[in-house]
Amino acid sequence: MTIDIESLSLRELGALVAAAEQRKALITSRRPAAAVRRLLKAAAAEAGYTIEELFGDDAETAPAPAPARKTTRRKSGKVAPKYRDPEYKRLTWTGRGRMPRWLAAKVSKGHKVTDFLIPGLAKPTAGKTSTIGKRTVIKKA
């Protein structure tokens, strides 16, 4: 950890000095690790155990922290377009994500999405078949 002292104000420098003095007092007041280790070994031996039995084989060394797992998101590859505007050939859509404005405008004018399929390359994208939130009519006999 590096601290850029040049950019700190007088108040921030005072707080940093106070925090450093507190940390120094804490470190100097506690016993050395070797002395504490000897005390623990003596207490374990007095109870009839060894440090290895109590804390495992790695009792002499500090336990290594578990490595942080990185969650990697898999990149989706490029997908060939399924739909193309017949007037402007550069306007295409893969069928993934939100429907583009040019296609939504044409669908609102009465065309079907399948009218814009690229022949020989694509099948229509399956629509959602979820019935959640839709009303159903049940006939009683």
Side-chain angles (χ1 to χ4, degrees):
M1 179 177 108
T2 59
I3 299 173
D4 185 19
I5 297 176
E6 301 295 324
S7 65
L8 296 178
S9 68
L10 184 60
R11 179 177 287 173
E12 292 170 335
L13 281 172
L16 181 63
V17 169
E21 288 173 353
Q22 285 179 346
R23 179 71 180 151
K24 181 181 176 184
L26 173 73
I27 290 173
T28 56
S29 67
R30 67 183 187 184
R31 293 182 187 174
V36 174
R37 189 176 298 119
R38 279 193 303 269
L39 287 173
L40 287 173
K41 281 184 180 181
E46 190 176 308
Y49 293 101
T50 63
I51 292 291
E52 290 77 22
E53 288 177 323
L54 295 176
F55 298 110
D57 293 333
D58 297 332
E60 293 297 320
T61 61
R69 285 183 60 184
K70 287 187 177 180
T71 57
T72 56
R73 202 167 181 186
R74 191 173 69 182
K75 284 191 173 183
S76 58
K78 289 228 172 193
V79 180
K82 289 184 180 182
Y83 303 94
R84 175 173 284 133
D85 187 0
E87 297 171 19
Y88 304 103
K89 302 286 185 190
R90 295 184 70 193
L91 298 178
T92 59
W93 182 43
T94 62
R96 293 186 178 184
R98 211 169 152 188
M99 186 182 294
R101 284 188 223 143
W102 65 266
L103 187 55
K106 298 209 180 206
V107 167
S108 69
K109 289 181 182 177
H111 290 91
K112 293 183 181 177
V113 177
T114 55
D115 295 341
F116 300 98
L117 277 172
I118 299 173
L121 290 179
K123 295 178 182 176
T125 304
K128 293 184 180 179
T129 59
S130 175
T131 59
I132 297 174
K134 294 183 180 176
R135 292 185 179 175
T136 56
V137 178
I138 300 172
K139 294 184 179 179
K140 293 184 179 180

